[in-house]
Amino acid sequence: MPPAERRPSRADLAAAADRTLPAVVAAGLRVLFCGINPGLYSAWTGHHFARPGNRFWPALHRSGFTPRQLAPAEQEELLHWGLGVTNVVERASAAAAELTPTELREGGRRLVADVAEYRPAWLAVLGVTAYRTAFDRPAATFGEQEATLGPTRVWVLPNPSGLNAHFTPTALAESFAALRRAVEG
């Protein structure tokens, strides 16, 4: 694990390419959040959504899923609230655009198997384009999906990357809050 006081060098980030991050998952979660794939910064740190500027952790808190904003290094605490995190594609890359449709579809099949094993109540995929490709749902939009994975309901959220300018931090938190309201019924 990198020292907390140091930022990664270009060489550090290049060395993180193709690394994988273990999922934070347990049986019977309320929500399993699913990113597209780890970025290089996350792979370097060993923590999901770790790049400064990624809005996952603030949105999770502001939407009411967690009582305080967690740091990426606290990702295991998600399990205390019945939450988990994984990725469609396991390998790290500089950008999701580097992933092939084949990788996304293979990741979707792996995710179906993971959901069957762990049985979360909800799967929340963070990125509509990745969801469309991974699950062959070209017309999918944000929000709850008609298609389920067995008993697991599916919700598509915006990608929380700071590069996603289509959603402000407030709009992103509101999207997460809509999911939370559905989860809490």
Side-chain angles (χ1 to χ4, degrees):
M1 180 166 305
E5 65 276 357
R6 158 172 112 74
R7 292 257 192 233
S9 67
R10 285 188 176 153
D12 291 330
L13 293 177
D18 297 325
R19 285 187 191 161
T20 61
L21 291 179
V24 177
V25 67
L29 295 172
R30 293 187 309 142
V31 182
L32 178 58
F33 290 93
C34 182
I36 299 168
N37 75 309
L40 298 180
Y41 197 101
S42 290
W44 178 73
T45 66
H47 305 295
H48 294 272
F49 304 105
R51 184 175 184 79
N54 190 293
R55 301 169 301 169
F56 175 79
W57 300 104
L60 202 63
H61 169 62
R62 291 180 187 145
S63 66
F65 272 112
T66 59
R68 65 179 179 83
Q69 185 173 321
L70 299 175
E74 298 175 298
Q75 65 188 17
E76 295 293 328
E77 291 188 33
L78 289 172
L79 298 174
H80 298 296
W81 294 294
L83 308 172
V85 64
T86 191
N87 288 289
V88 176
V89 174
E90 294 178 319
R91 77 171 181 92
S93 67
E98 295 177 19
L99 304 175
T100 67
T102 299
E103 284 180 290
L104 289 164
R105 286 190 293 274
E106 288 171 356
R109 286 190 290 274
R110 183 193 45 77
L111 195 53
V112 167
D114 289 349
V115 165
E117 178 180 352
Y118 292 106
R119 298 191 161 289
W122 288 86
L123 173 69
V125 180
L126 298 146
V128 69
T129 303
Y131 175 78
R132 288 173 179 158
T133 302
F135 294 95
D136 194 26
R137 302 281 180 197
T141 60
F142 295 108
E144 185 172 1
Q145 305 301 300
E146 284 186 35
T148 62
L149 299 179
T152 298
R153 295 165 74 181
V154 179
W155 192 284
V156 176
L157 289 166
N159 182 340
S161 169
L163 300 175
N164 183 0
H166 299 294
F167 287 85
T168 65
T170 299
L172 188 63
E174 288 170 359
S175 296
F176 276 60
L179 169 60
R180 184 187 48 78
R181 288 188 297 273
V183 169
E184 294 175 356

